[in-house]
Amino acid sequence: MPRFYIPALLAFALLSATHPIHAQSSSADGSVVGASDESSPQMLRDAAWSRLEDGVTGTKNTDTRIAAISALSMLGGQQRAEKLIGNCLHDPDSDVRLAAIVAAGELMKNGSANVFSNELRGQLNDQDPKIVFTTASTLWKLGDPSGEDILLAVSEGERSGDYNFWKGSTHQANRTLHNPIALMKIAAQQSVAILVPPVGIGMGAYNYLKGSGGVSPQITAITEIGKAHTDPAKIALIEATKTKDPGARLSAAEALANYRGADVTAALHNLLNDDKENVRFIANAAYIRQTTTPGATSPTKHKK
């Protein structure tokens, strides 16, 4: 054996002794058998939480913070998400507060019970009419009539322009508005409508579409097929995570949060470092939910 081979073989032997080489395969929970701890589900969840928390608290960029808040809205019943959203309800940036109000409503609807009820009612006294309207709408969707007078005033204004109702309102914000007509105008603006998504489209996917000109047929199809919880639906959603359209990838990730299986975990794992910020945040939240939420659904066979 040539002498120059010996040092190379010794180096390889030492490397193998300190870093054993294992065959890698996927386990039932989506982790990699034989891989380092960095790729275990728990380590990946910890990293996902860190990305989401940094998106909310580690930057002053409003768009980034709203995207992270939107993703956190998927994690109902998770105390870490509740704490982050609760802090954002008192943020000095009104756009961040708007996103937090809607996210709080989503969390309460999906496992966080009445965690934010009192805080949301307090937002009805905000001096920003956008905050007041969005809060009233969010509470109404949760079956809480606390902001009913505000919604009635806007409705009455849209019908006849009669704003006398505002004069007798018990909400401080209503009395401090110099021009109640402004609330009706703001209610009709797309920027507020975006924060109050229609039924059937997740907050994350809908928020991503702001300024995009509407919902594409592909995203609509992903949103609808995601409700089926069948094997064909799961396969279609996994394929959608590979599309070039970031909106479709985001919508697919959001839908897959409610599915189980190593193939779902792997698909979400591939999006954790997506080149689009909004997709990354939703994928990280979806990964946390998919790997920790007992209620996630196992697909059923497609019924013909």
Side-chain angles (χ1 to χ4, degrees):
M1 178 181 294
R3 291 182 179 180
F4 64 85
Y5 281 174
I6 296 175
L9 289 173
L10 287 172
F12 179 79
L14 288 172
L15 180 64
S16 298
T18 55
H19 299 282
I21 298 174
H22 299 286
Q24 295 184 352
S25 60
S26 295
S27 66
D29 64 1
S31 62
V32 178
V33 176
S36 64
D37 288 343
E38 284 76 6
S39 62
S40 70
Q42 185 57 55
M43 292 293 288
L44 289 170
R45 280 194 296 272
D46 289 342
W49 274 115
S50 294
R51 293 186 190 105
L52 292 170
E53 290 171 346
D54 188 60
V56 175
T57 64
T59 179
K60 293 183 179 180
N61 185 289
T62 299
D63 290 338
T64 296
R65 299 183 70 198
I66 289 175
I69 290 169
S70 176
L72 286 167
S73 72
M74 299 170 58
L75 300 174
Q78 300 270 1
Q79 291 185 353
R80 291 174 76 170
E82 292 167 0
K83 182 178 180 180
L84 286 164
I85 297 302
N87 290 337
C88 289
L89 286 172
H90 306 284
D91 198 90
D93 188 322
S94 62
D95 288 332
V96 169
R97 293 205 308 279
L98 280 171
I101 289 165
V102 180
E106 290 292 305
L107 290 175
M108 287 172 64
K109 187 174 67 177
N110 296 304
S112 291
N114 297 319
V115 172
F116 302 104
S117 294
N118 290 334
E119 286 187 277
L120 286 178
R121 292 179 192 127
Q123 299 290 333
L124 293 171
N125 293 321
D126 197 279
Q127 296 193 21
D128 187 332
K130 299 188 301 295
I131 298 290
V132 176
F133 175 80
T134 304
T135 301
S137 178
T138 298
L139 287 168
W140 184 265
K141 289 182 179 183
L142 293 169
D144 186 331
S146 299
E148 181 180 17
D149 57 343
I150 293 167
L151 298 178
L152 287 172
V154 174
S155 299
E156 181 68 18
E158 291 175 335
R159 289 197 305 269
S160 66
D162 181 1
Y163 293 95
N164 290 330
F165 181 87
W166 287 85
K167 297 178 181 178
S169 172
T170 58
H171 289 301
Q172 180 183 355
N174 299 349
R175 294 195 301 271
T176 59
L177 289 173
H178 296 295
N179 183 8
I181 296 176
L183 185 59
M184 184 187 73
K185 291 181 179 178
I186 290 169
Q189 289 177 357
Q190 185 182 18
S191 60
V192 173
I194 286 293
L195 288 171
V196 189
V199 176
I201 298 181
M203 181 186 169
Y206 199 77
N207 183 61
Y208 181 85
L209 300 173
K210 181 164 62 174
S212 69
V215 181
S216 74
Q218 185 181 16
I219 292 175
T220 300
I222 289 170
T223 301
E224 292 305 315
I225 201 68
K227 302 172 186 175
H229 299 297
T230 62
D231 284 322
K234 183 177 79 165
I235 293 170
L237 292 173
I238 290 173
E239 287 301 310
T241 64
K242 306 170 187 176
T243 184
K244 293 182 179 180
D245 181 357
R249 296 199 303 275
L250 185 152
S251 299
E254 194 163 24
L256 284 172
N258 294 313
Y259 284 74
R260 287 292 192 193
D263 49 354
V264 176
T265 306
L268 291 173
H269 179 274
N270 291 335
L271 294 178
L272 294 181
N273 295 299
D274 193 272
D275 60 354
K276 297 296 183 182
E277 184 175 72
N278 293 57
V279 178
R280 286 200 303 275
F281 284 134
I282 293 295
N284 278 273
Y287 182 87
I288 293 170
R289 179 168 166 176
Q290 192 266 340
T291 58
T292 60
T293 305
T297 306
S298 298
T300 56
K301 297 297 181 180
H302 180 65
K303 296 180 180 180
K304 297 183 179 180

